[in-house]
Amino acid sequence: KKGERPEVVQCLSEKGWARSYNMKSVFGHTASFNGCLQDDPAPCPDLPVLRTPDALFSANYADGPIDCKDEFGRYRTEQTIAALAKSGATSLNLDIDNTYGFMPQLCGAGIDANFKELVAAAGGQITDFMAEFFSDDAVEKASAWFSALPTKSADGKLSTCIPYGGGGKIPGADPMAGMCCNKAAAEVIRAKLVQKGVNTILVSWEHVNIQWLAVALGAPKAKVLDVECTKASGGKVKECWDGDDYDIIYELRYSADGLGNPIAVNTHMHQGFEWIGGQKGTCGVIGEA
């Protein structure tokens, strides 16, 4: 899952918070929705009701200078499932594990040297772009934050990590460059799944990195929707997960023991949330990042 945000600013918008509270109707104790919309093809109408999760995870942004946190220290990904987790008697009263994410700092992945060099070469253009939206102090912190990233992983090997992917645009880059720390996060999530009393886990992740996390969790790459809506052969636009679509749910089902790769992968499920308020929301109360 991912949630709406105002332009550039990385916290939930008013619409995003409404989606967060709607999660209680989809995954809460009294939920009765199976993730299928009216026109979804078979076998969707016959799928069972979505399960109530026993554990919750959200993506950590590694304290990036332009990734805002609210007054409770929550990133947008955590905010998206915050109402479901703890917001009164109708919530699940579960803690959200926000320890893991995709950024290289979180698992000692380092960053691809060619990518770092490319960003450095375009530094002036990137700084000018950021200056349109952020304070000089935030831009300076972001530059220092990125410059401090090593080009070797914790085990001393040259890093292939390119956060948010983009390896296809850099000559010689690993086609799985976007994996970064998603693999480490997936290992923790899978370990949680085999614990006693844990049968269902709900994960709220960053949009671009959902594809990498899904693959790390065992989903075949061919079944995971690409976030880049590019044209395939014949001029047709290949199926993708558009950046403006906040309603999609990925479902990965495993065998009863939680081991092995998923026995079923469904990337066409939905939360079924429709916003009827104004189209422009606000970020709400934001604490210092």
Side-chain angles (χ1 to χ4, degrees):
K1 283 299 303 169
K2 63 169 186 162
E4 289 91 343
R5 58 180 172 84
E7 292 298 317
V8 181
V9 180
Q10 301 293 307
C11 283
L12 285 188
S13 64
E14 180 183 4
K15 180 179 178 181
W17 273 112
R19 180 179 295 282
S20 178
Y21 275 88
N22 176 257
M23 289 280 187
K24 298 167 79 170
S25 300
V26 179
F27 292 104
H29 291 301
T30 59
S32 58
F33 182 58
N34 71 348
C36 296
L37 302 182
Q38 184 175 354
D39 298 326
D40 284 346
C44 206
D46 298 321
L47 292 176
V49 171
L50 292 173
R51 295 181 179 181
T52 298
D54 306 300
L56 304 170
F57 284 84
S58 64
N60 186 301
Y61 287 76
D63 287 327
I66 61 172
D67 295 304
C68 89
K69 294 181 180 179
D70 63 17
E71 60 180 342
F72 300 107
R74 299 175 300 205
Y75 293 110
R76 181 176 84 255
T77 48
E78 187 174 358
Q79 292 175 329
T80 300
I81 53 176
L84 174 67
K86 290 186 178 180
S87 64
T90 58
S91 66
L92 302 181
N93 195 30
L94 291 174
D95 291 326
I96 301 172
D97 191 333
N98 186 243
T99 310
Y100 307 93
F102 54 94
M103 283 296 190
Q105 296 95 326
L106 297 171
C107 67
I111 196 166
D112 183 272
N114 291 330
F115 172 68
K116 190 171 185 178
E117 185 178 331
L118 188 67
V119 172
Q125 294 176 318
I126 294 174
T127 300
D128 291 343
F129 171 77
M130 291 180 63
E132 295 183 30
F133 306 101
F134 303 101
S135 67
D136 291 342
D137 182 55
V139 173
E140 186 177 334
K141 286 181 179 179
S143 178
W145 178 84
F146 182 80
S147 297
L149 288 171
T151 55
K152 289 185 177 181
S153 59
D155 59 7
K157 297 179 181 179
L158 285 175
S159 174
T160 60
C161 168
I162 300 178
Y164 299 97
K169 301 175 184 178
I170 300 175
D174 187 334
M176 297 295 287
M179 185 61 72
C180 297
C181 288
N182 287 295
K183 183 178 179 181
E187 290 173 353
V188 174
I189 293 170
R190 290 297 303 271
K192 186 70 175 180
L193 187 60
V194 298
Q195 290 183 10
K196 185 177 180 180
V198 178
N199 296 303
T200 304
I201 297 175
L202 178 64
V203 179
S204 176
W205 220 245
E206 191 279 328
H207 175 218
V208 175
N209 283 278
I210 288 175
Q211 61 178 324
W212 299 110
L213 181 66
V215 171
L217 287 168
K221 187 72 169 69
K223 280 204 169 188
V224 177
L225 299 181
D226 197 328
V227 297
E228 292 191 21
C229 299
T230 55
K231 289 185 178 181
S233 58
K236 294 182 179 179
V237 177
K238 64 180 180 180
E239 189 177 19
C240 60
W241 186 340
D242 191 274
D244 293 329
D245 188 345
Y246 298 90
D247 207 59
I248 290 178
I249 295 173
Y250 276 12
E251 181 188 47
L252 280 63
R253 288 182 177 265
Y254 300 86
S255 58
D257 59 12
L259 302 175
N261 287 330
I263 56 175
V265 177
N266 191 338
T267 58
H268 293 79
M269 305 189 81
H270 302 85
Q271 182 179 343
F273 172 72
E274 185 173 344
W275 174 244
I276 59 174
Q279 292 305 305
K280 291 186 178 181
T282 59
C283 194
V285 180
I286 306 172
E288 289 294 328

